[in-house]
């Protein structure tokens, strides 16, 4: 039996590819190894960045602080607006148009944070055979916590922020850019990638221009100081997903956990990436 699907979007899973394939495997196909999925798997990669330009798209500027008289505006910020963190939903972005070092600063290397094997989609929470604890690959490690329809799965990564020189004041983490690679067939190296141009290996083909399947941007609730004096030198990045969305939590890593991650190689590019 062969199942082909193209239910993908910039966020990868926003067009219900997970519940669709789950249903196909349960009701329309023979059990593995008789079932063949095209595409066979997908990996999500993420990078924490600092960008005053991108943050300005997310947060309204303070006109008074910028020296602009309020009389020049017909619309004014409400009193509670500065405390509003905005939506956690991902925004589409043509990240290849951003110039590293000019439009943003990379605070971490790109790392694989989620992996989906389309031959073994985790059961929905509460369904027969579902573990209900967010252990998305069913290997018993219990990563994440099941919540809501379809469950919520999480994968934690400790990422070391590149050192800054003592004369630098550090930076602020503003957002997470993420993209995905699609592994078209099991046992082959045929990959369709949405990685931006600046994140690709030099021997990879030049990315195709698309108005779909771009890259995605998730803003942090507020800027997070990193590096310098008093800033985090290790970040805890939690990649979470349910059946339809991917989102991130980023915070300073506790010192003990950061030390353990460094000892165990937790900052390696693909170490510890869990199946989604």
């Amino acid at each position: 039996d062969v199942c082909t699907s193209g239910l993908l979007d910039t966020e990868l899973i926003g067009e219900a590819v997970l519940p669709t394939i789950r249903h196909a495997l349960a009701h329309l196909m023979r059990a593995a190894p008789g079932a063949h999925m095209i595409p066979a798997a997908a990996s999500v990669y993420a990078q924490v960045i600092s960008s005053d330009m991108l943050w300005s798209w997310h947060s309204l500027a303070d006109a008074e602080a910028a020296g602009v008289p309020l009389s020049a505006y017909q619309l004014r910020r409400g009193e509670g607006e500065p405390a509003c963190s905005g939506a956690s939903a991902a925004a589409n972005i043509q990240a290849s148009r951003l110039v590293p070092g000019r439009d943003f600063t990379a605070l971490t290397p790109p790392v694989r944070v989620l992996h989906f094997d389309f031959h073994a989609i985790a059961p929905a929470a509460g369904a027969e055979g579902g573990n209900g604890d967010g252990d998305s690959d069913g290997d018993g490690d219990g990563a994440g916590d099941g919540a809501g329809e379809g469950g919520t799965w999480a994968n934690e990564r400790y990422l070391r922020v590149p050192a800054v020189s003592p004369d630098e004041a550090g930076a602020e983490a503003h957002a997470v850019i993420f993209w995905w690679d699609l592994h078209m067939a099991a046992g082959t190296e045929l990959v369709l990638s949405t990685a931006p141009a600046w994140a690709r290996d030099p021997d990879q083909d030049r990315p195709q221009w698309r108005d779909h399947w771009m890259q995605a941007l998730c803003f942090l609730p507020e800027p997070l100081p990193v590096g310098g004096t008093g800033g985090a030198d290790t970040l805890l990045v939690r990649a979470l997903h349910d059946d339809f969305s991917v989102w991130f939590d980023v915070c300073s890593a506790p010192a003990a956990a950061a030390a353990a991650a460094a000892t165990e190689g937790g900052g390696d590019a693909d170490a510890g990436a869990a199946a989604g």
Side-chain angles (χ1 to χ4, degrees):
D1 291 349
V2 178
C3 176
T4 62
S5 62
L7 301 173
L8 308 170
D9 65 350
T10 294
E11 204 171 344
L12 180 66
I13 59 175
E15 295 186 2
V17 66
L18 297 184
T20 301
I21 291 179
R22 185 187 296 128
H23 180 272
L25 289 170
H27 302 286
L28 304 176
M29 305 180 69
R30 292 177 292 177
H36 299 277
M37 311 301 297
I38 302 176
S43 298
V44 176
Y45 293 83
Q47 186 168 26
V48 182
I49 65 167
S50 174
S51 174
D52 291 331
M53 180 188 73
L54 294 179
W55 186 255
S56 71
W57 300 353
H58 179 65
S59 178
L60 293 175
D62 190 326
E64 289 181 297
V68 179
L70 288 179
S71 58
Y73 290 89
Q74 297 297 321
L75 297 177
R76 302 182 183 182
R77 297 197 310 176
E79 294 182 358
E81 188 277 330
C84 177
S85 61
S88 61
N92 292 5
I93 186 172
Q94 293 282 4
S96 290
R97 306 294 292 178
L98 301 177
V99 177
R102 185 193 72 183
D103 299 324
F104 73 96
T105 299
L107 300 179
T108 66
V111 293
R112 189 178 72 170
V113 292
L114 295 170
H115 181 74
F116 299 88
D117 180 355
F118 293 145
H119 294 87
I121 298 297
E128 183 177 352
N131 48 47
D133 64 359
D135 178 16
S136 53
D137 57 358
D139 63 2
D141 62 9
D145 51 358
E149 184 178 357
T152 298
W153 293 270
N155 181 37
E156 294 186 352
R157 301 297 310 277
Y158 291 93
L159 304 180
R160 288 187 290 273
V161 178
V164 294
S165 61
D167 60 341
E168 291 186 284
E172 290 183 326
H174 293 118
V176 177
I177 290 181
F178 69 97
W179 58 89
W180 45 261
D181 283 359
L182 206 60
H183 310 281
M184 299 305 296
T188 73
E189 297 183 359
L190 183 60
V191 175
L192 187 157
S193 178
T194 63
W198 39 262
R200 290 174 175 258
D201 294 331
D203 58 348
Q204 281 185 291
D205 293 336
R206 183 180 179 88
Q208 293 179 315
W209 175 265
R210 300 187 182 97
D211 281 326
H212 66 289
W213 295 1
M214 296 182 283
Q215 297 78 43
L217 183 70
C218 282
F219 288 101
L220 276 59
E222 59 184 8
L224 175 65
V226 297
T229 302
D233 60 6
T234 303
L235 299 176
L236 170 59
V237 178
R238 300 184 73 227
L240 304 99
H241 76 89
D242 54 21
D243 269 353
F244 302 96
S245 301
V246 175
W247 66 98
F248 295 86
D249 286 338
V250 180
C251 63
S252 300
T263 301
E264 298 171 3
D268 294 342
D270 282 333

